[in-house]
Amino acid sequence: MYGNDFPGEDPPGGLLGEVEAAEAALRAAAERGRGAIEPSEDLAAYFAEVVAADQKIEPRDWMPEAYRRTLIRQIAQHAHSEIIGMQPEGNWISRAPSLKRKAILLAKVQDEAGHGLYLYAAAETLGVSRDELVDLLLSGRQKYSSIFNYPTLSWADVGAIGWLVDGAAIVNQVPLCRCSYGPYARAMIRVCKEESFHQRQGYEILHTLAHGTPAQKAMAQESVDRWWYPSLAMFGPPDGDSTHSAQSMAWKIKRFSNDELRQRFVDMCVGQAEVLGLRIPDPELRWNEERQAYDFTQPDYDELMRVIKGNGPCNRQRMEHRRRAHSEGAWVREAAAAYAAKRAEKEKVAA
Amino acid sequence: MSQQHTPLWEVFVRARRGLAHTHVGSLHAPDAELALRNARDLYTRRQEGVSIWVVPASAITASSPDEKDSFFDPAADKVYRHPTFYEVPEGVAHL
């Protein structure tokens, strides 16, 4: 631990407060019990009632097949994103500018691995195996977040990823803490608390750079310029083009539309950018008194579609790295399994 | 593409002395020793606990939500199991 990173008090009204409220709601829902609702012959009606009552669906409950498939897809792609997301930041571990920054970055990348594992475990409660999901990723049949296909070109990018990318992730994930599927909601509560550390450390990096030398400030600004629109694109296509949204909202998997979350993120960032002393690269950004929100330029959705389809700046590099780690690690996994089998055999003989 | 299956383990952590172990999640590992080490790294990075149990998921048998009624019913119709069932005469202390 470093002198300035002992956990302090959290300001009220922040995202962490919302996570804690979601956690309290989860406990309250569990204590309320299912009361009047009892599983009956009509499983679909029972499922609908549980969802309507803001209670959680648990792994052994009946659920519509499409609900199960949607959750598997969403949770798995979320898990893949955490794992692939280790690469852009991992790129700067050996080049971090101080030992303190390096230790923080290591802890952060370790957290990402942990988030991937929590999420794979949540997906597995739906009846798929992690091996199957990893195969789906490696064979390109499942995606990961578009944002990790952008390169990290300077140290400031580590700060911009923390502030903007992790910030966008939290805005997206905080409502998922109230998602109708219990294991996913619980995983998101865990993830959000840690993600909040990531966002703040990123913000601190940018703040330090923006108040450093002119060269450092320019580096911070250049980085924000590059990451702003890809971060806005993380919320997905505009509501009109979002294929899964309506059903996901009816099932209370999603709570807010892509555009609502994007707006919330922009409104949050404006004040934070002012404190940083950095400029958001959008000439159209201005307060709209009528809407009580900021007007802003939409990200380039054609670019988003190109990146999602595999043609972003780093798609090939990211997948190749992940495939190589998997195939070159095969002999290590085999050795561990062989050793475990040998030990189990010995114990059986001894018993 | 996966060469072999590493079994699933359920992880229980006791936060402090005096509290019970609580289920915190699950993970894959080839054997108990690695499951324990991975659980340490994965679930106790922020002083969450002082003791960890790992159990092969295959060793756990769960009750089914379908048999909820028949399985848990006896508790509800034996109200005399609760101390509040009994009337205490007025004026009796420490009971």
Side-chain angles (χ1 to χ4, degrees):
Chain A
M1 263 198 181
Y2 292 88
N4 60 353
D5 50 15
F6 285 94
E9 285 297 301
D10 199 55
L15 288 168
L16 265 184
E18 282 184 49
V19 175
E20 259 147 45
E23 196 174 12
L26 195 130
R27 283 182 212 283
E31 296 210 339
R32 267 204 319 277
R34 296 204 168 157
I37 315 167
E38 279 302 325
S40 60
E41 298 295 295
D42 192 352
L43 292 167
Y46 174 63
F47 172 87
E49 268 182 277
V50 171
V51 171
D54 272 333
Q55 302 238 316
K56 302 299 167 196
I57 299 295
E58 294 298 338
R60 296 199 60 180
D61 289 334
W62 179 88
M63 59 188 87
E65 199 41 43
Y67 176 84
R68 183 189 303 274
R69 275 201 311 274
T70 293
L71 275 170
I72 290 176
R73 180 184 52 79
Q74 183 174 341
I75 302 175
Q77 299 194 156
H78 196 159
H80 300 329
S81 303
E82 299 284 356
I83 299 302
I84 299 289
M86 294 163 79
Q87 291 184 43
E89 290 177 293
N91 182 33
W92 281 89
I93 290 176
S94 62
R95 293 178 283 174
S98 74
L99 198 49
K100 170 182 158 173
R101 298 289 181 202
K102 183 173 178 153
I104 294 173
L105 186 54
L106 275 169
K108 183 183 172 189
V109 174
Q110 187 191 18
D111 278 355
E112 312 284 6
H115 296 174
L117 295 185
Y118 306 153
L119 287 161
Y120 280 127
E124 286 193 291
T125 62
L126 291 159
V128 280
S129 75
R130 188 174 89 191
D131 289 347
E132 288 172 64
L133 298 177
V134 170
D135 283 348
L136 286 172
L137 170 70
L138 295 180
S139 62
R141 278 173 294 158
Q142 277 188 343
K143 313 266 185 230
Y144 53 89
S145 176
S146 57
I147 195 79
F148 301 117
N149 293 310
Y150 290 87
T152 41
L153 304 177
S154 75
W155 166 252
D157 285 4
V158 175
I161 288 180
W163 176 41
L164 294 174
V165 175
D166 294 321
I170 299 183
V171 168
N172 224 339
Q173 290 169 7
V174 162
L176 290 175
C177 295
R178 292 178 185 270
C179 147
S180 60
Y181 188 58
Y184 194 26
R186 290 189 288 270
M188 290 326 300
I189 288 173
R190 240 188 130 78
V191 168
C192 283
K193 286 182 180 173
E194 296 177 357
E195 207 73 66
S196 188
F197 139 57
H198 300 172
Q199 188 196 17
R200 289 177 192 194
Q201 67 86 31
Y203 192 79
E204 195 200 70
I205 289 175
L206 287 182
H207 192 266
T208 306
L209 290 172
H211 293 80
T213 64
Q216 286 172 327
K217 182 166 184 177
M219 181 166 75
Q221 183 62 59
E222 189 272 335
S223 182
V224 169
D225 290 349
R226 265 185 298 114
W227 288 94
W228 175 251
Y229 287 108
S231 300
L232 289 190
M234 280 175 72
F235 294 94
D239 292 350
D241 305 340
S242 181
T243 40
H244 305 288
S245 276
Q247 183 59 74
S248 288
M249 285 174 81
W251 279 327
K252 295 194 182 172
I253 297 173
K254 275 180 88 152
R255 295 304 183 109
F256 302 97
S257 75
N258 294 353
D259 286 335
E260 280 176 283
L261 292 170
R262 193 171 2 249
Q263 180 72 55
R264 186 178 301 184
F265 177 70
V266 171
D267 292 346
M268 240 176 56
C269 284
V270 173
Q272 293 172 353
E274 271 166 26
V275 176
L276 284 176
L278 294 176
R279 196 182 59 251
I280 288 174
D282 180 358
E284 304 303 321
L285 184 75
R286 55 182 59 87
W287 179 249
N288 183 324
E289 191 58 41
E290 205 175 307
R291 292 199 305 124
Q292 287 295 302
Y294 283 91
D295 289 335
F296 61 97
T297 308
Q298 294 290 321
D300 180 349
Y301 294 113
D302 293 336
E303 176 180 316
L304 175 66
M305 292 324 290
R306 277 201 302 282
V307 176
I308 289 176
K309 291 215 166 82
N311 297 313
C314 299
N315 296 57
R316 269 168 231 159
Q317 187 188 335
R318 300 289 185 238
M319 284 307 295
E320 196 195 296
H321 184 86
R322 183 67 192 84
R323 287 198 189 101
R324 198 173 57 237
H326 191 76
S327 58
E328 290 180 1
W331 70 271
V332 180
R333 293 194 298 276
E334 277 165 34
Y339 180 71
K342 194 174 85 179
R343 285 267 300 260
E345 194 57 38
K346 259 190 199 158
E347 267 168 37
K348 216 188 286 168
V349 173
Chain B
M1 242 181 279
S2 318
Q3 262 71 33
Q4 77 281 310
H5 185 67
T6 52
L8 187 67
W9 301 75
E10 298 298 335
V11 183
F12 299 79
V13 171
R14 194 180 68 204
R16 278 186 303 279
R17 285 197 177 280
L19 294 182
H21 283 79
T22 306
H23 181 243
V24 292
S26 50
L27 52 81
H28 287 277
D31 61 24
E33 180 65 30
L34 277 173
L36 203 55
R37 282 170 185 271
N38 290 343
R40 189 260 327 260
D41 291 346
L42 188 56
Y43 291 110
T44 63
R45 291 197 299 285
R46 292 181 173 80
Q47 299 163 9
E48 286 96 338
V50 295
S51 167
I52 302 175
W53 289 344
V54 290
V55 183
S58 59
I60 293 176
T61 308
S63 63
S64 150
D66 309 334
E67 60 200 15
K68 195 172 150 190
D69 288 344
S70 52
F71 206 67
F72 298 105
D73 228 16
D77 61 11
K78 293 188 175 65
V79 284
Y80 47 84
R81 280 176 168 159
H82 298 275
T84 45
F85 175 74
Y86 301 93
E87 263 176 53
V88 177
E90 253 179 67
V92 180
H94 309 296
L95 193 75

